[in-house]
Amino acid sequence: MVIDADSRGLFIVLEGIDGTGKSSQVRKLASYFSSLGREVVTSREPTDGPWGKKLRDSATLGRLDPADELEYFLRDRREHVEQLIRPALAEGKVVILDRYYFSTMAYQGARGFDPHEIRKRNEEFAPQPDFLVILDLDVEIALQRVGHRGDQANHFEKRDSLQRCREIFLGLANEPFARVISAAGSMDEISRDIVDFLEGKK
Ligand code: TYD
């Protein structure tokens, strides 16, 4: 129904821990909607804007302190919402995001902030998506996929905190607009499951 080529914007968010293949699925979904004749905008968070850039730099230069990190994600998102998300939806486009405020709930939640509080702060300015796809995968497998070996100290990808992130994502499973989809299958299987969810099958 919502997928019909009408003029309303459609807002889809893909979430999941690192290694679940979100960016590939965003690309596949974009071609699916283009083939239906819809205008599609894809984007990601952190963005390539000034705040997003500081956040990406912190992955190599040293992690920000927790409160600053949370603020930067919020500032980055505020700009993203104002400059890209709301305008594209208002123009009737399909907006597909690789990460959104559910990642802040999960990752900054894993860092000690209350995920419900994070959600509340975000929903004061960030529109809820029509569909939230949570790609789910065992943490060990996800870490293997991103080429993480136990001795590599990439701070974003530590095992324990990813486990906590995964649990926070799974805690969203009962939201009416959300669906948890296994990321263990092939790219095509995952893509089919996502489209079935969006089309209201299964
Ligand atoms: P991402 O671009 O998905 O990672 P990569 O390009 O390395 O595959 O996101 C970068 C990291 O930012 C990721 O580990 C999750 C983290 N993140 C947060 O901690 N909070 C947030 O709100 C978002 C959007 C991302």
Side-chain angles (χ1 to χ4, degrees):
M1 39 133 211
V2 249
I3 295 196
D4 292 347
D6 62 22
S7 59
R8 273 183 317 118
L10 185 62
F11 188 17
I12 302 167
V13 172
L14 270 69
E15 291 278 12
I17 58 172
D18 314 64
T20 47
K22 291 179 301 303
S23 52
S24 309
Q25 293 300 332
V26 165
R27 280 195 298 275
K28 274 181 157 300
L29 211 48
S31 4
Y32 169 77
F33 280 103
S34 299
S35 74
L36 293 179
R38 296 288 303 249
E39 257 196 279
V40 183
V41 174
T42 63
S43 190
R44 62 173 187 169
E45 294 189 0
T47 70
D48 296 318
W51 299 106
K53 199 170 167 323
K54 281 188 213 292
L55 284 158
R56 285 184 190 283
D57 287 349
S58 78
T60 44
L61 299 178
R63 197 163 187 181
L64 297 160
D65 85 63
D68 283 348
E69 188 181 70
L70 175 60
E71 284 315 310
Y72 286 18
F73 275 114
L74 284 162
R75 285 178 199 187
D76 187 41
R77 183 160 307 118
R78 238 177 236 287
E79 289 195 354
H80 203 201
V81 167
E82 281 168 19
Q83 295 172 11
L84 184 139
I85 299 171
R86 284 197 192 280
L89 290 172
E91 288 165 7
K93 294 178 181 163
V94 179
V95 176
I96 308 173
L97 294 192
D98 180 344
R99 296 192 185 281
Y100 194 38
Y101 63 83
F102 310 98
S103 275
T104 320
M105 291 173 67
Y107 286 81
Q108 280 58 58
R111 239 187 147 180
F113 293 97
D114 175 8
H116 300 288
E117 192 55 39
I118 294 174
R119 180 172 180 173
K120 226 174 83 200
R121 283 191 69 186
N122 276 279
E123 288 181 347
E124 282 164 12
F125 67 90
Q128 250 185 27
D130 298 300
F131 294 101
L132 167 62
V133 174
I134 297 162
L135 292 178
D136 182 54
L137 194 61
D138 178 84
V139 169
E140 291 298 332
I141 299 172
L143 284 169
Q144 279 168 23
R145 284 197 189 171
V146 294
H148 186 270
R149 287 179 221 97
D151 55 350
Q152 284 179 351
N154 181 337
H155 61 253
F156 277 130
E157 294 170 354
K158 286 201 192 118
R159 194 162 283 122
D160 288 355
S161 65
L162 277 188
Q163 186 59 43
R164 176 82 188 109
C165 289
R166 184 187 186 197
E167 283 158 16
I168 297 171
F169 280 135
L170 292 177
L172 291 158
N174 290 330
E175 294 293 332
F177 57 92
R179 174 70 59 90
V180 174
I181 289 176
S182 167
S186 70
M187 286 245 301
D188 286 344
E189 282 165 346
I190 299 166
S191 167
R192 204 165 44 239
D193 287 346
I194 294 174
V195 170
D196 281 350
F197 165 50
L198 302 182
E199 287 180 344
K201 295 182 198 158
K202 285 189 189 166

